[in-house]
Amino acid sequence: MKANNKKFISDSIITLTRQIMNIGIGILLLVVLTRFLGPVDQGKYSLVTLLPMMLMMFISIGINTSTIYFVSKNKFLLETVLKTNILVGILLSLIAVVVGLVVIFFFSEALFEGVENSLLYMVLFSIPFIFLKEFLQTIFHGLQDFKSYNTLMIINQFAILGFISLFIIVLDYGLIGAIIGFVLGNITTVFVILYLLLKKKQLSLSSGEFSRPYLKESVDYGFKAYVSNLATFLNYRLDVFIVGYFLSPAAVGIYTVAVNVGERITMVSTAISSVLFPKIASEDTEEARNRLTSIVSRNVLLISILASIALLIVSDFVIGLFFGSEYIQSSDVLKVIMIGIIFLSVEKILSNDIAGRGKPEINMYTSIFNVIMNVVLNILLIPQFGIMGSAYATTITYFISFIIKLIIFKKISSQSYGKLLLIQKEDIVLYKALLKVIQKKIRVNVARKGSS
């Protein structure tokens, strides 16, 4: 048990460390876009690149999530999972491209006001690679090879940053260059994933086979997770469309900066919950699952509160320093959203535990309710309060979603609210032990430097 706990902590730290790097790259990318494109074109970039992500969420049918679940249970051969995921990914991506063409042709003026259709057509080239990226990198997630999984996330962000910087800073291609960079970054990531799977994991495309049983079970499990993830994605991103509809691309740019900065606070819960999902799926006893999730949820809540307070104090300075005076309104939006993000951090932990127990339908129902509530609140509040109305809607939605998931999880696990939310004596003991380990390492490093 101790070995398993150490591995869980180690995997969480690896994931958190790499997510911090990923976030750093993401913020740098946002700085490049805001500084070299300005609010209007940066807002257009956000809308254009949202299209392939929306299509991915709508058409993926949950194969990426079910891959994590079934690989962690070691139910199918990896070669079978690999070949099936590639073939299904290609098929679904072609469907997504066709749907994308229809959306652009008939609905671009309503959904992407002020955005040139040529940019939307251009970004469709990224869709097959986005599907393959999602369907293949989750194999590493299911194997709990978090070093490779998180490295791939960093490579994807770094590749996009590198290509975008090349095209808009060096070559001065502007918004078109940013879209080209986004497409090339996703293409690069897919080739790296295939290399790691075929070389590091020594898998072979020729030895695997397309498996209907695997596909059937993946769709059965994945569809419930798919609806949940789709609703969650819409809950996070649909407000961007609504802001664009009621306001302007510049308002989208300002709102997007606030949301992107605020969501960085969830990096701890995102890192731990991504490790928690396959871990819970592979655990044999309810007692082990309940204890692990309780420890994680209350400590993530504490960390999120402290991080949010720190960010609120420096938000004006950070926004002004990195994004410029044009984005100073983003700080006001951020201050409101941060309250909701505290609750979102814990809700992510509970959701991944529930999914790991093989009950994705619970997340599905609550996510559908959340997205409906978020849309209604945005429609009611944005006309009255502008960008701040969307911030209010987001925070209210996150809070209510947290309350719903907390009540549901208590019924499933029989854990008290206190154990889920309040720091316990065992946590204090753990903190003291961790502090001693850190102090010991510091003393050892100082002694080594002194002797050298």
Side-chain angles (χ1 to χ4, degrees):
M1 181 64 72
K2 288 185 177 181
N4 288 336
N5 288 340
K6 286 182 178 179
K7 186 178 187 307
F8 178 82
I9 294 172
S10 174
D11 288 340
S12 298
I13 292 173
I14 289 173
T15 304
L16 179 59
T17 302
R18 296 189 183 277
Q19 275 208 342
I20 292 173
M21 295 174 62
N22 201 31
I23 286 169
I25 297 171
I27 291 177
L28 185 56
L29 172 60
L30 196 57
V31 170
V32 170
L33 292 170
T34 55
R35 290 291 186 179
F36 288 89
L37 295 183
V40 174
D41 279 354
Q42 187 261 326
K44 289 182 179 181
Y45 173 86
S46 298
L47 288 171
V48 170
T49 54
L50 192 58
L51 175 60
M53 303 309 297
M54 292 284 286
L55 291 170
M56 167 67 196
M57 290 302 302
F58 272 104
I59 299 174
S60 67
I61 61 175
I63 297 298
N64 48 344
T65 304
S66 60
T67 297
I68 302 171
Y69 183 75
F70 287 111
V71 170
S72 66
K73 286 189 169 297
N74 198 28
K75 191 171 184 178
F76 298 94
L77 292 174
L78 287 180
E79 286 85 356
T80 297
V81 173
L82 174 62
K83 176 164 281 189
T84 305
N85 279 16
I86 288 177
L87 294 176
V88 174
I90 292 173
L91 175 62
L92 292 179
S93 67
L94 293 177
I95 296 173
V97 169
V98 173
V99 173
L101 291 171
V102 173
V103 168
I104 296 170
F105 190 80
F106 290 103
F107 306 106
S108 62
E109 290 186 7
L111 297 176
F112 305 96
E113 184 179 357
V115 178
E116 297 82 358
N117 281 0
S118 59
L119 298 175
L120 297 169
Y121 288 125
M122 188 184 304
V123 83
L124 294 182
F125 285 102
S126 68
I127 288 178
F129 300 96
I130 289 176
F131 270 78
L132 289 176
K133 179 190 71 176
E134 292 295 323
F135 285 12
L136 297 182
Q137 72 181 9
T138 47
I139 294 176
F140 294 100
H141 195 169
L143 290 171
Q144 300 187 52
D145 181 359
F146 291 101
K147 182 177 181 180
S148 297
Y149 176 70
N150 290 292
T151 298
L152 290 169
M153 293 177 65
I154 292 175
I155 288 173
N156 181 240
Q157 285 283 76
F158 188 77
I160 293 174
L161 171 62
F163 281 117
I164 286 180
S165 298
L166 172 64
F167 284 107
I168 71 174
I169 298 177
V170 179
L171 300 179
D172 195 22
Y173 282 3
L175 181 56
I176 292 177
I179 304 302
I180 294 173
F182 175 81
V183 174
L184 292 178
N186 282 291
I187 292 174
T188 301
T189 304
V190 171
F191 281 106
V192 175
I193 292 173
L194 287 172
Y195 174 81
L196 290 178
L197 286 171
L198 299 179
K199 297 296 182 180
K200 183 177 179 180
K201 297 300 180 183
Q202 297 183 338
L203 301 181
S204 172
L205 292 175
S206 59
S207 61
E209 62 179 6
F210 179 83
S211 172
R212 289 185 178 180
Y214 164 68
L215 179 59
K216 182 180 182 303
E217 291 196 41
S218 289
V219 173
D220 288 344
Y221 177 92
F223 184 77
K224 299 169 186 175
Y226 154 77
V227 175
S228 174
N229 291 337
L230 175 61
T232 300
F233 180 82
L234 291 173
N235 197 30
Y236 294 166
R237 293 291 178 261
L238 205 55
D239 47 4
V240 173
F241 280 116
I242 301 175
V243 169
Y245 177 80
F246 281 108
L247 303 176
S248 66
V252 172
I254 292 171
Y255 182 76
T256 302
V257 166
V259 171
N260 273 273
V261 174
E263 286 182 349
R264 304 311 173 195
I265 295 299
T266 65
M267 64 182 178
V268 175
S269 65
T270 301
I272 297 176
S273 61
S274 66
V275 178
L276 186 67
F277 178 27
K279 176 68 175 175
I280 292 294
S282 62
E283 283 286 358
D284 296 324
T285 66
E286 289 294 311
E287 181 182 358
R289 292 171 176 169
N290 295 339
R291 183 175 182 275
L292 180 60
T293 300
S294 296
I295 293 173
V296 171
S297 65
R298 62 184 182 248
N299 282 280
V300 163
L301 177 60
L302 175 62
I303 294 170
S304 298
I305 291 173
L306 296 176
S308 296
I309 292 173
L311 183 57
L312 287 173
I313 293 172
V314 300
S315 63
D316 291 347
F317 173 75
V318 169
I319 296 295
L321 176 65
F322 287 102
F323 306 109
S325 58
E326 292 176 305
Y327 290 88
I328 199 64
Q329 191 178 359
S330 297
S331 179
D332 296 329
V333 176
L334 175 62
K335 290 172 183 176
V336 174
I337 290 177
M338 284 309 307
I339 300 171
I341 285 178
I342 294 173
F343 300 110
L344 174 65
S345 297
V346 181
E347 195 259 359
K348 281 187 174 184
I349 298 297
L350 302 180
S351 296
N352 276 276
D353 176 283
I354 292 169
R357 295 173 192 250
K359 299 178 179 179
E361 66 276 4
I362 294 177
N363 291 331
M364 177 182 71
Y365 297 135
T366 55
S367 296
I368 291 172
F369 171 78
N370 292 338
V371 73
I372 294 173
M373 176 174 59
N374 193 29
V375 169
V376 171
L377 288 173
N378 269 281
I379 292 173
L380 291 175
L381 296 177
I382 290 177
Q384 185 174 358
F385 299 103
I387 298 178
M388 297 304 297
S390 187
Y392 298 144
T394 297
T395 293
I396 294 170
T397 301
Y398 287 166
F399 174 71
I400 295 177
S401 176
F402 161 76
I403 295 298
I404 292 173
K405 203 62 65 69
L406 186 65
I407 293 172
I408 292 173
F409 183 79
K410 184 181 185 298
K411 291 183 178 180
I412 292 175
S413 65
S414 298
Q415 294 290 292
S416 67
Y417 292 128
K419 284 190 175 181
L420 289 170
L421 302 177
L422 302 178
I423 296 299
Q424 307 291 307
K425 288 183 179 179
E426 60 179 314
D427 300 315
I428 304 299
V429 173
L430 179 63
Y431 291 152
K432 289 181 178 179
L434 183 60
L435 182 60
K436 288 182 181 179
V437 171
I438 294 174
Q439 290 174 338
K440 183 178 179 181
K441 287 186 176 181
I442 292 175
R443 287 195 296 269
V444 170
N445 290 331
V446 170
R448 287 178 179 175
K449 289 181 180 179
S451 61
S452 62

